[in-house]
Amino acid sequence: MLTLRQIEVIRAIMVTGTIAGAAKLLGVAAPGVSRLMKYTEDSLRIRLFNRSHGRYVPTPEARHIFGLLDNVYRQVEDLQYAVQRLERGAGLELSVGSVPSIANVMVPRAIAKLRQQYPELYVDINILKIEEAIDYLLVGRGEVVAISSYLEHSIIHFEPLSTGRLLCIVPENSPLSEKDTIAPAEIVRHTLIGIDPNDPYGRVMTEIFRRENLSFDMRIKARFGTTVCALVGADLGIAIIDEFTVADGRVPGIKCLEIEADTTFSTYVAYRRDVPLSIFSERFVETLRSEMNRAKR
């Protein structure tokens, strides 16, 4: 049985006609090529080359074998080329979804790292509300969704992604901006902006009020956390937001205050139980988890 290395050496001698030429072509030492060639002929019990004036000339009985060896070598080259394309992500596309809170800063950071490893990979990112994520996965529009709530589902698996904390954001020129921390009881005394508390993400943002039996009045509601930040920046009130939405620290017109309560919440990555993830999706999840853990305040 010939190994791929033996095939490579035989072909190199066939192409160059000398041991020294084959060694140069392969980037190895000539004695090693000579020893492997002798070992190969002894193992096969066939003389593959006649030696004439320092050159290696294929024997008549071995010419048919050389043609087959050349075909095998070219197929191995094609395989190596295909693997190299796969390593770069060439011609392939990764489709992922994310809720807005994670998509705002964390997903772009993860994609940037992913593209460093797979520079030719196409990426399709869909921004989804939590209630849209299940259908997105079930109909096969994408492989994974980064999500901020856990749901029980027979087909969709929810894998822990990272944990985060909630912050209170206030207008940077308001008296509250002189504080570094704020208690939930004080938050509810101000005009509140936020996501609808009946929304899964909105429930995460307002859980501290329910836990401490505090009544609150959401005067201004918005669909996305980035809009909430903009409304606070416009001096229309204060809000509770997750730390990932404001992780880049470049949201104009606001200041982030620590909340004097346990505000830890969990995030997940959802994907189908019955469909294996691609290597690109697995790497995306690993990278996203790393970026989210690094972003914690």
Side-chain angles (χ1 to χ4, degrees), residues 51 260 294:
R51 284 72 167 172
E260 298 168 8
R294 186 180 296 120

Side-chain angles (χ1 to χ4, degrees), residues 20-291:
K24 185 176 181 180
L25 182 64
L26 297 174
V28 297
V33 173
S34 180
R35 286 194 298 270
L36 183 58
M37 189 66 251
K38 184 178 185 308
Y39 171 78
T40 301
E41 288 185 322
D42 290 345
S43 300
L44 295 176
R45 298 179 183 177
I46 298 173
R47 179 173 290 278
L48 299 175
F49 295 94
N50 287 321
R51 284 72 167 172
S52 177
H53 305 292
R55 294 194 65 81
Y56 281 60
V57 181
T59 60
E61 58 270 25
R63 291 187 182 277
H64 176 63
I65 294 176
F66 288 148
L68 295 176
L69 289 179
D70 192 54
N71 288 336
V72 170
Y73 184 81
R74 293 187 186 281
Q75 289 177 338
V76 171
E77 281 189 324
D78 291 343
L79 175 60
Q80 290 174 335
Y81 176 71
V83 170
Q84 289 169 355
R85 282 176 57 83
L86 181 62
E87 289 175 343
R88 301 191 306 269
L92 300 170
E93 182 176 80
L94 169 66
S95 295
V96 298
S98 175
V99 294
S101 57
I102 302 174
N104 186 45
V105 178
M106 295 294 100
V107 168
R109 289 183 182 179
I111 294 298
K113 292 287 180 64
L114 190 70
R115 289 270 298 169
Q116 289 176 5
Q117 184 172 4
Y118 305 108
E120 297 182 32
L121 179 68
Y122 291 87
V123 182
D124 180 38
I125 304 169
N126 284 266
I127 311 303
L128 307 169
K129 295 290 285 182
I130 293 172
E131 60 270 20
E132 299 169 338
I134 300 299
D135 285 345
Y136 175 81
L137 293 171
L138 289 178
V139 302
R141 291 178 57 205
E143 290 190 70
V144 297
V145 177
I147 199 165
S148 53
S149 292
Y150 178 87
L151 303 173
E152 287 287 348
H153 198 280
S154 59
I155 297 178
I156 306 301
H157 176 64
F158 287 78
E159 176 186 324
L161 180 59
S162 183
T163 59
R165 291 182 302 151
L166 303 179
L167 302 170
C168 178
I169 55 174
V170 302
E172 64 179 359
N173 295 322
S174 73
L176 287 175
S177 66
E178 298 177 5
K179 291 175 167 285
D180 293 320
T181 65
I182 188 170
E186 184 175 1
I187 294 174
V188 296
R189 293 200 294 266
H190 296 269
T191 300
L192 278 180
I193 303 170
I195 311 297
D196 188 339
N198 295 315
D199 178 277
Y201 177 70
R203 284 196 294 273
V204 172
M205 298 301 104
T206 55
E207 176 60 27
I208 56 171
F209 301 142
R210 285 185 288 272
R211 194 166 58 238
E212 299 197 13
N213 294 316
L214 294 171
S215 298
F216 64 94
D217 186 12
M218 193 77 68
R219 297 292 183 90
I220 303 176
K221 298 174 187 175
R223 182 171 168 83
F224 300 113
T226 50
T227 307
V228 170
C229 291
L231 291 167
V232 173
D235 202 13
L236 295 174
I238 68 174
I240 293 177
I241 203 75
D242 68 280
E243 64 179 332
F244 301 122
T245 295
V246 293
D248 62 359
R250 295 197 298 266
V251 182
I254 70 169
K255 180 180 178 180
C256 297
L257 307 183
E258 299 285 344
I259 299 175
E260 298 168 8
D262 180 14
T263 62
T264 304
F265 67 95
S266 298
T267 62
Y268 304 88
V269 59
Y271 51 85
R272 292 183 60 135
R273 300 178 189 271
D274 57 339
V275 179
L277 293 180
S278 68
I279 182 63
F280 307 115
S281 287
E282 290 180 348
R283 189 69 60 171
F284 168 73
V285 172
E286 292 171 5
T287 307
L288 180 60
R289 178 178 289 115
S290 175
E291 290 299 315

